[in-house]
Amino acid sequence: MSDLLWITYLGILGAPAIGFLLKGKYKTIAMKVDFIVSCMTWTGLFGYVTSISIGPTLLWKIVFVVGIVWDLLFVIYIDQSDEAIEGLSEKTVKATTVVFSILMLLPLYYGLFRYAY
């Protein structure tokens, strides 16, 4: 049962990214780097879920740290795609985006941590 939930989670994370890729929305360098980092972290989570050894453990330790740092930097400082929501301030929208992003990525980094360590 837990494998099904993990695979569903991978699909929830991956589907929008693949959609963006197919529509050509990765135009900036930061967006392209984000896609590459995301693919690396998804691969690690896939290895964890399926119990398949993909590369050395040191690689996944590096991917874990780099992924967390990149995602925090990207969500907090780099990503400027927040759309205005009527009645809410810009700060409120940004704070909501950051909190939601962190909550969505917690399972990803939990699995990647378990895979790397």
Side-chain angles (χ1 to χ4, degrees):
M1 177 67 174
S2 68
D3 287 350
L4 179 64
L5 292 175
W6 278 112
I7 292 169
T8 302
Y9 176 72
L10 278 168
I12 289 169
L13 285 181
I18 292 170
F20 268 49
L21 180 67
L22 295 175
K23 291 181 181 180
K25 300 220 177 189
Y26 291 113
K27 295 183 191 235
T28 66
I29 292 173
M31 291 293 286
K32 291 175 184 176
V33 169
D34 186 56
F35 181 72
I36 291 168
V37 170
S38 295
C39 287
M40 292 169 38
T41 57
W42 297 330
T43 303
L45 184 59
F46 178 78
Y48 170 69
V49 171
T50 59
S51 300
I52 296 172
S53 179
I54 305 171
T57 307
L58 178 62
L59 169 68
W60 298 111
K61 290 177 182 178
I62 293 169
V63 168
F64 173 75
V65 172
V66 169
I68 285 180
V69 170
W70 172 258
D71 277 336
L72 288 175
L73 288 174
F74 185 77
V75 169
I76 295 171
Y77 297 110
I78 299 171
D79 186 24
Q80 300 299 321
S81 63
D82 294 333
E83 295 181 17
I85 299 174
E86 191 173 323
L88 294 178
S89 71
E90 234 178 88
K91 285 185 179 182
T92 304
V93 172
K94 186 64 172 181
T96 304
T97 301
V98 169
V99 169
F100 181 75
S101 296
I102 290 171
L103 289 175
M104 282 299 295
L105 294 174
L106 278 174
L108 170 69
Y109 286 107
Y110 169 78
L112 193 56
F113 177 82
R114 298 284 310 261
Y115 189 58
Y117 296 92

